[in-house]
Amino acid sequence: MNPGTLPPVGRCALCGHDRHLSAHRSTLDRLVRNVCTPCYSAATLAEETGHPVDWQQAVTWASDGDLLFWLRGEQ
C-alpha cells in the first residue's frame, strides 16, 4: 500500500459494516480476518487478554468461562 492511500472497502468479518478493511491474523487459530479499524483494535485487545476474537473461534477454542463471557455480551 502506498503512503496516503486508504485500505480497500469491504464488509468487516466481525461487525458486518462496510468499511475500510485491514487483515488481522489471529494468534489462536492463525486465520486471517478482514476487519475494520475498530474491530482490529477490539480483536487485538481480546487476544491480548486471552479471549476469542469471534463466536466461531469461541465455540472451537474457548473454555466454558469464555463462552459465558461471550453469551453475556462482555466482548
Side-chain angles (χ1 to χ4, degrees):
M1 180 170 32
N2 294 329
T5 61
L6 294 173
V9 173
R11 185 163 299 244
C12 177
L14 297 178
C15 71
H17 289 97
D18 289 329
R19 296 183 175 161
H20 294 280
L21 303 177
S22 299
H24 179 272
R25 181 177 299 275
S26 171
T27 57
L28 183 59
D29 59 15
R30 308 303 299 163
L31 292 178
V32 175
R33 292 166 178 83
N34 291 319
V35 297
C36 63
T37 300
C39 288
Y40 190 99
S41 177
T44 301
L45 290 172
E47 289 191 329
E48 286 176 357
T49 57
H51 297 291
V53 170
D54 61 12
W55 176 250
Q56 186 59 42
Q57 194 179 65
V59 170
T60 305
W61 299 92
S63 67
D64 291 344
D66 281 332
L67 287 175
L68 187 57
F69 178 83
W70 268 86
L71 290 171
R72 288 182 178 158
E74 296 172 10
Q75 191 276 345

